[in-house]
């Protein structure tokens, strides 16, 4: 038996938008506790909760003012402890978010740095520099913020500080031992409370080239999704790795003491799978999201290329690949792969393929409901990206709209009736609500539950081998998950006698006929199958249990 995360399915809870147990229109910790039975029935192995720490919420909690305190908006430490204990009682693991690249500008250390002035030891915990130009009134270099605008903001005494994200998120100086020690203390604090691991924010950003050289001029079509080639001096620097070795040593130390395995998962936006795999070498993080699949277009060849490259790269360092199609920063799959009915068909097909891949999978809340991206009206947009980009980028609010749970109209059981959620939910979400889908056998929720239950029950799913099938046209992605040999004397399980499980996903524009003798296990849309010939309609995934020979 390997460690629990090697084939786990983890569910991202974007806390603001999951469930509001109070009446302020913002989701909270007690709201998560109230939905644990839903998550257990969905069949996931655990949750990752986005930041709930004390914060002025300039980036909705990713601007942390105290990493060891709960923001009153979400509850308190006692509410967190209850959630953790209840989750464990339901057999669910809990990962919390660690945000080490930057703090909030309301963090006491940043306030002290501003007050202490240029050249002070307090300023050394962040990245302060004099400006360029005769009066120092130009930023120290040409770096830009991920959210838009310059990556530097001027303090009142004339020095500038670096923020790769919003001005309210000053970057820590990770060369400083006090910064390292303070984060070690945060890691230990949450481990001592009993968490099962961390999702670590912006793992590729912590260390900057000390000389702070200018970046090359940006590409004419803008900086891409993966930024490290356009911005070579502050992403994916060699120095980040020793930080992860340090945290790995801490969790190994806890494991030696109590035998419990905790997991470190990186959010590493690095395009080259071999560079990415360096974050999951044996003495660093356990997992890191494989974002190349998330970035792949709706096309079987693009999926195959991404999956094969990620599998090969992580295998070289002995780590699994961590699959993900969505999170709180990107357009929801049901809209990204298309729109309306065809977008939903594709999202359902994508979900089944994702769950057939070997290794851990992360789902994003609402993807089990097939929620689409919402075009949040400009007056309601809250993401700093909208303002920082001068209203040229709508930002990420569209994937963060509070979940519909039940009822005919907003807030659809998210908040108490009559309380407007922090982002408006669209009309017409009643059919998408979890309660409505639970009683519809053809719903995405029932499909997701079925797939997760099978993934648990079938030994060929989860961790293990993937073998590509080359007997399908290029617009069809097809792979086998061979059955592992059971110990002698094992009674036959479901679909025993099959050589494994075959997953076939069509991105073709017309029906495709394939000859695969076997039994039908699950399909994302109706298919034709007579036990030998499979007629696969466009944008459909099917799981089959093939007969031997
Ligand atoms: C990560 C988070 C994102 C946040 C950013 C800055 O990418 O996922 O939501 O805005 O880091 O902390």
């Amino acid at each position: 038996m390997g460690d629990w995360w090697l084939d786990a399915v983890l569910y991202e809870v974007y806390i603001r938008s999951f469930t509001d147990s109070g009446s302020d229109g913002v989701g909270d910790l007690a709201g998560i506790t109230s939905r644990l039975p839903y998550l257990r029935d969905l069949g996931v192995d655990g949750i990752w909760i986005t930041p709930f720490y004390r914060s002025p919420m300039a980036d909705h909690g990713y601007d942390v003012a105290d990493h060891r305190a709960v923001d009153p908006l979400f509850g308190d430490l006692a509410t967190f402890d209850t959630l953790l204990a209840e989750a464990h009682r339901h057999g669910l693991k809990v990962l919390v978010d660690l945000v080490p690249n930057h703090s909030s500008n309301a963090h006491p250390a940043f306030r002290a740095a501003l007050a202490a002035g240029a050249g002070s030891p307090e300023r050394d915990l962040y990245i302060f520099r004099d400006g360029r130009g005769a009066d120092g009134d130009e930023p120290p270099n040409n770096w830009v913020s991920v959210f838009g605008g310059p990556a530097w903001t001027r303090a009142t005494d004339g020095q500038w500080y670096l923020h790769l994200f919003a001005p309210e998120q000053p970057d820590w100086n990770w060369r400083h031992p006090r910064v390292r020690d303070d984060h070690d203390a945060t890691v230990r604090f949450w481990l001592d409370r009993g968490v099962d691991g961390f999702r670590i924010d912006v793992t590729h950003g912590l260390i900057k080239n000390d000389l702070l050289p200018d970046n090359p001029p940006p590409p004419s079509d803008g900086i891409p999704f993966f930024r490290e080639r356009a911005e070579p001096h502050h992403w994916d620097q060699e120095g980040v790795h020793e930080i992860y070795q340090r945290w790995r040593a801490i969790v190994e130390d806890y494991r030696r003491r109590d035998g419990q395995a905790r997991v470190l998962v990186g959010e590493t936006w690095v395009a080259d799978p071999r560079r990415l795999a360096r974050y999951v070498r044996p003495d660093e993080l356990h997992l890191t999201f494989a974002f190349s699949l998330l970035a792949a277009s709706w096309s079987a060849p693009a999926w195959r290329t991404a999956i094969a490259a990620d599998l090969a790269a992580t295998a070289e360092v002995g780590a699994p690949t961590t699959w993900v199609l969505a999170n709180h920063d990107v357009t929801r799959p049901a809209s990204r792969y298309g729109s309306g009915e065809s977008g939903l068909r594709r999202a359902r097909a994508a979900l089944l393929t994702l769950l057939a891949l070997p290794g851990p999978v992360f789902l994003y809340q609402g993807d089990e409901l097939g929620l689409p991206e919402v075009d949040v009206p400009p007056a309601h947009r809250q993401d700093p990206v909208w303002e920082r980009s001068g209203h040229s980028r709508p930002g990420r609010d569209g994937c963060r709209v509070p979940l519909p749970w039940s009822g005919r109209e907003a807030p659809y059981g998210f908040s108490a009736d009559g309380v407007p959620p922090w982002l408006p939910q669209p009309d017409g979400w009643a059919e998408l609500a979890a309660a409505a889908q639970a009683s519809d056998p053809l719903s995405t929720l029932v499909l997701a539950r079925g797939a997760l239950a099978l993934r648990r029950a079938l030994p060929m799913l989860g961790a293990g081998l993937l073998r590509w099938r080359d007997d399908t046209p290029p617009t069809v992605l097809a792979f086998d998950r061979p059955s592992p040999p059971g110990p002698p004397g094992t009674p036959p399980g479901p679909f025993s006698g099959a050589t494994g499980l075959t997953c076939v996903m069509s991105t073709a524009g017309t029906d495709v006929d394939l000859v695969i003798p076997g039994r039908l296990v699950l399909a994302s849309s109706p298919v034709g199958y007579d036990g030998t010939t499979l007629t696969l309609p466009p944008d459909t995934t099917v799981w089959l249990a093939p007969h031997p020979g």
Side-chain angles (χ1 to χ4, degrees):
M1 275 288 287
D3 285 317
W4 62 265
W5 58 78
L6 290 174
D7 59 1
V9 178
L10 294 158
Y11 180 100
E12 177 189 353
V13 173
Y14 187 71
I15 185 167
R16 293 181 76 84
S17 302
F18 192 63
T19 293
D20 173 20
S21 75
S23 53
D24 58 5
V26 177
D28 48 39
L29 291 169
I32 302 173
T33 308
S34 72
R35 300 292 184 191
L36 291 171
Y38 169 86
L39 294 165
R40 181 203 52 209
D41 292 350
L42 179 60
V44 296
D45 299 290
I47 56 176
W48 145 39
I49 311 172
T50 56
F52 48 84
Y53 317 111
R54 195 178 291 279
S55 163
M57 306 290 163
D59 187 21
H60 299 125
Y62 281 98
D63 49 321
V64 179
D66 182 347
H67 223 316
R68 287 165 238 158
V70 172
D71 196 277
L73 189 62
F74 300 126
D76 54 25
L77 280 173
T79 350
F80 176 78
D81 290 342
T82 304
L83 163 57
L84 187 61
E86 282 297 293
H88 286 163
R89 201 172 63 76
H90 283 93
L92 296 167
K93 306 282 187 191
V94 176
L95 272 55
V96 297
D97 220 307
L98 185 68
V99 190
N101 181 65
H102 41 265
S103 74
S104 160
N105 60 347
H107 193 290
F110 189 72
R111 291 204 167 139
L114 283 182
S120 62
E122 287 84 349
R123 286 221 167 163
D124 216 17
L125 296 183
Y126 292 89
I127 303 176
F128 278 87
R129 290 290 186 280
D130 292 331
R132 294 200 282 206
D135 301 318
D137 54 4
E138 284 166 37
N141 66 21
N142 70 352
W143 295 2
V144 293
S145 144
V146 173
F147 293 164
W152 297 91
T153 289
R154 203 167 191 193
T156 47
D157 67 352
Q159 271 208 317
W160 298 75
Y161 68 87
L162 178 72
H163 51 86
L164 293 182
F165 295 88
E168 296 87 352
Q169 293 167 296
D171 282 45
W172 289 110
N173 169 16
W174 269 92
R175 308 273 185 202
H176 201 297
R178 270 182 54 203
V179 171
R180 295 176 182 232
D181 292 346
D182 188 57
H183 281 80
D184 287 359
T186 296
V187 168
R188 291 179 189 281
F189 178 88
W190 292 104
L191 289 176
D192 288 339
R193 293 203 100 78
V195 304
D196 303 292
F198 297 90
R199 173 270 189 190
I200 304 163
D201 199 54
V202 200
T203 28
H204 54 313
L206 274 50
I207 292 287
K208 286 84 183 168
N209 180 328
D210 283 330
L211 302 173
L212 303 176
D214 272 342
N215 281 323
S220 56
D221 50 352
I223 298 171
F225 224 42
F226 294 100
R227 306 176 68 108
E228 75 278 10
R229 290 185 69 174
E231 299 178 328
H233 302 304
H234 52 90
W235 303 120
D236 195 27
Q237 307 293 298
E238 193 54 38
V240 296
H241 294 285
E242 66 183 35
I243 300 169
Y244 306 127
Q245 288 166 354
R246 194 174 163 122
W247 293 342
R248 178 67 176 260
I250 294 178
V251 297
E252 293 301 337
D253 185 36
Y254 274 71
R255 182 183 189 144
R256 264 191 301 277
R257 279 192 254 153
D258 67 7
Q260 300 292 317
R262 286 98 173 163
V263 67
L264 301 173
V265 190
E267 185 218 19
T268 315
W269 287 94
V270 168
D272 177 352
R274 276 161 311 166
R275 295 291 301 181
L276 184 66
R278 302 177 79 239
Y279 289 75
V280 287
R281 287 177 290 189
D283 58 348
E284 297 196 32
L285 305 175
H286 302 93
L287 306 176
T288 194
F289 299 117
F291 287 127
S292 48
L293 184 59
L294 183 155
S297 61
W298 183 249
S299 115
W303 275 53
R304 178 160 173 170
T305 304
I307 294 168
D310 284 329
L311 282 174
T314 51
E316 261 180 48
V317 295
T321 308
T322 304
W323 307 106
V324 58
L325 291 178
N327 62 35
H328 64 284
D329 293 325
V330 299
T331 306
R332 282 198 180 270
S335 303
R336 197 170 72 220
Y337 295 138
S339 61
E341 214 179 300
S342 98
L344 180 59
R345 271 182 84 87
R346 291 174 179 180
R348 289 165 58 101
L351 181 69
L352 275 202
T353 301
L354 186 78
L355 290 173
L357 292 172
V361 170
F362 276 73
L363 301 178
Y364 176 48
Q365 67 180 36
D367 284 341
E368 79 280 18
L369 305 175
L371 291 188
E373 187 81 358
V374 176
D375 184 15
V376 175
H380 291 278
R381 290 186 188 154
Q382 310 249 353
D383 185 3
V385 168
W386 171 239
E387 286 303 327
R388 297 274 308 162
S389 69
H391 297 182
S392 65
R393 288 154 59 194
R396 301 161 292 178
D397 295 318
C399 64
R400 298 175 176 181
V401 171
L403 291 193
W405 290 99
S406 57
R408 303 297 312 162
E409 55 199 41
Y412 303 106
F414 166 75
S415 265
D417 278 348
V419 177
W422 71 282
L423 284 173
Q425 298 157 305
D427 293 335
W429 263 22
E431 273 75 51
L432 290 172
Q437 293 204 30
S439 54
D440 172 359
L442 299 179
S443 69
T444 304
L445 177 60
V446 171
L447 176 72
R449 279 186 187 162
L452 285 162
L454 282 164
R455 192 178 145 112
R456 247 169 219 247
L458 297 178
M460 49 277 218
L461 288 174
L465 292 176
L466 174 150
R467 252 188 241 130
W468 295 107
R469 291 181 77 107
D470 289 316
D471 54 353
T472 60
T475 47
V476 172
L477 181 85
F479 57 85
D480 291 328
R481 301 295 319 278
S483 296
T490 324
F495 301 107
S496 56
T499 51
L501 187 120
T502 299
C503 176
V504 191
M505 174 173 97
S506 173
T507 62
T510 53
D511 286 5
V512 177
D513 283 340
L514 301 168
V515 175
I516 307 179
R519 282 163 287 171
L520 186 61
V521 178
L522 194 64
S524 64
S525 300
V527 296
Y529 191 48
D530 61 7
T532 302
T533 302
L534 171 72
T535 303
L536 200 56
D539 302 331
T540 300
T541 293
V542 61
W543 290 359
L544 299 168
H547 292 312

